[in-house]
Structures are given as C-alpha cells and as structure tokens.
Amino acid sequence: MSVIHDQAPDAGGAVAATEDFFFDVGGHRLAATTVRTVGGAAPDVVHLHGLGTTATRHGVRYLLDDLAAHGHASLTFEFSGNGDSTGVMAQATLRRRKEETLAAVGLLDGERRPVLIGTSMGGHLASWAVPQLRPRALVLFCPAAYPADAADDAFGDGTRPGNHADSPAFAGIGEFDGDLLIIGARQDQVVSEATVDGYLAHATKARSRRVIWLDCDHFIHRWLPEQDAVKTEVLDALRSVVTAGTHEPADRLANEEGDTE
C-alpha cells in the first residue's frame, strides 16, 4: 500500500503531503506514514511510539506537521502488534522492536545523521539504538527505561519500566554525542522523575541537554496539543534540536555490526 494524501497548507500557504505505506521486518508488515515537506526532501526524523495497546503512529502528527512546515520531513510508524501493523502486541519484545526501529531508520535520508523522537517505550528504544544509529538529536517524551534482562520478555509477561541502573537505554545514551531534549511530565504515573534523572546522568557525552517539565500525566500527546503556550515552547525546542547539526554527514554503517545491550 502506498497512498498519498494532501494535508493542510503550511505557514507560507503551500501544501505538503503524507504518504502511507507498509514495510516488512521479521515476518511482520509495519504500517508507516511519511510526512513530507513542500520541497519533497527525504525524511531524516523518525518517531517511535510507546507500549500501550492504543499507541499508534498518528498521535504525534501535531509535532511532525510543524516540522514539515519548517522544512523537515519525517517518518512515523507502528510497531508489530499496534495500529495497522501485523502481529500480536503481547508476543512482542523490546529486542524485536529495536530491530523494527533499525529497519525504520534505514528508510530515512542516508546522507544525514537522523533525529530520533521516542515516547515512553520509544525513548528506551531510541536510546538503546544510539551506538548503531548515531543520531544527531534525541527527543524523548516521558522516556521509560527497562532492565537488561527484559529485552527478550514478551510484553504479555508484564515487565515494568523504572530507574534501572543496568538499562540498555542508559548504556546507549552514554554514547550519545548530539543534542538531547527530554519532555517530562510532573504527574507521570509510569515514568518517575528519577528515571528522567537517570537518562540525564548517563548522557555525559551529549553536546547539549535540556529538560522541559510539563504539568500533565504520562499520556503527554493527548494533553499537549490543546495547550497553546506550552505547545509553542515544545515545538520551538523541537525545531531547534532537529535543525542543529542538519549538515552532519551520516556514518551509521560504521556501527552496523555492533549491538549494545
């Protein structure tokens, strides 16, 4: 399937477009959408959604549409077992979803270092994949962290995130040398402030680090689109880290054989 849709005009009056399609990973068909810029540039931004059964590729379109209006195309997709993708979520694992993350980033512009936007579990995956993907920026919304021994546990087994010192996410972000933006939720019932502190404590090589705390619960993308002033702050910060380092050449293949736990 490949379906192109017009979307709303950007600030300059030009019309951008989205394209829906599937790509195959490990025996599953993953549903994806490319949010294109007016100029048709290849995407260099990917979003990784969270763990919940209702998580889909559509929840962050308010972020990605804004990026497209400012010249940055992106890709958003659904992991196996979510949304329009095939598979059963209760049978999925973090390791399988990391493989799906690597495959999705392989669809981006290979000439530029990518930007990874991760929400909750997606933040864990984005950080875990740093040694392989060498992103120029990480944007983490309420990032969860899972212990090392949970990598192959089926989600139906009920592994819970926490401030786990041995988390592959912390090990991965320890290698990160780009710009880090974390959006935390003061009333988060899933990800503690200690977990956010854990990410910051391990991101010792980051070129820049910024945390924005919002007065909401874990379901940040349900709340933020209706908060005009706060949303403007987040969108401005997002555009800033996405734009920084845009011209850094990609060299992801240098780490292709590694797999940091």
Side-chain angles (χ1 to χ4, degrees):
M1 176 187 73
S2 181
V3 182
I4 297 176
H5 308 277
D6 289 337
Q7 67 182 53
D10 67 10
V15 177
T18 62
E19 180 180 0
D20 297 326
F21 64 98
F22 289 99
F23 63 104
D24 297 326
V25 185
H28 292 289
R29 300 193 74 204
L30 306 188
T33 298
T34 299
V35 184
R36 299 189 178 279
T37 64
V38 174
D44 62 343
V45 178
V46 67
H47 175 256
L48 313 174
H49 67 67
L51 176 60
T53 58
T54 60
T56 73
R57 67 191 190 274
H58 306 296
V60 294
R61 282 294 304 278
Y62 71 104
L63 302 174
L64 305 185
D65 290 348
D66 182 80
L67 287 177
H70 290 84
H72 298 283
S74 61
L75 172 70
T76 178
F77 73 100
E78 288 152 353
F79 290 106
S80 57
N82 277 87
D84 297 320
S85 295
T86 63
V88 178
M89 197 189 76
Q91 299 172 0
T93 66
L94 289 166
R95 192 180 305 280
R96 177 186 295 174
R97 291 196 165 188
K98 183 185 177 186
E99 294 171 356
E100 293 169 354
T101 295
L102 298 178
V105 175
L107 302 174
L108 301 182
D109 182 356
E111 300 300 316
R112 292 176 289 176
R113 291 176 65 180
V115 174
L116 309 182
I117 303 174
T119 298
S120 191
M121 176 204 66
H124 174 95
L125 295 170
S127 300
W128 187 9
V130 162
Q132 289 74 52
L133 300 178
R134 297 202 63 243
R136 70 176 189 269
L138 283 176
V139 182
L140 310 178
F141 287 84
C142 301
Y146 296 86
D149 62 6
D152 296 305
D153 290 346
F155 291 155
D157 294 340
T159 298
R160 295 284 296 176
N163 186 26
H164 301 286
D166 68 342
S167 176
F170 292 163
I173 206 168
E175 300 300 316
F176 178 59
D177 62 359
D179 298 299
L180 173 63
L181 173 64
I182 298 179
I183 314 298
R186 291 292 189 192
Q187 301 175 38
D188 199 323
Q189 68 275 45
V190 177
V191 174
S192 67
E193 291 190 24
T195 301
V196 173
D197 290 341
Y199 273 96
L200 291 171
H202 285 83
T204 57
K205 298 179 182 179
R207 177 168 52 197
S208 68
R209 300 185 301 172
R210 181 181 179 185
V211 180
I212 298 175
W213 286 104
L214 304 182
D215 188 20
C216 65
D217 65 14
H218 187 69
F219 299 101
I220 194 166
H221 298 305
R222 299 178 187 175
W223 177 85
L224 185 54
E226 305 303 321
Q227 311 301 316
D228 291 343
V230 179
K231 182 177 70 172
T232 296
E233 179 184 7
V234 171
L235 291 176
D236 287 346
L238 175 60
R239 288 195 301 269
S240 178
V241 298
V242 170
T243 301
T246 300
H247 301 296
E248 295 180 33
D251 54 358
R252 298 198 298 272
L253 294 180
N255 293 296
E256 197 172 50
E257 297 179 358
D259 188 6
T260 299
E261 291 293 323

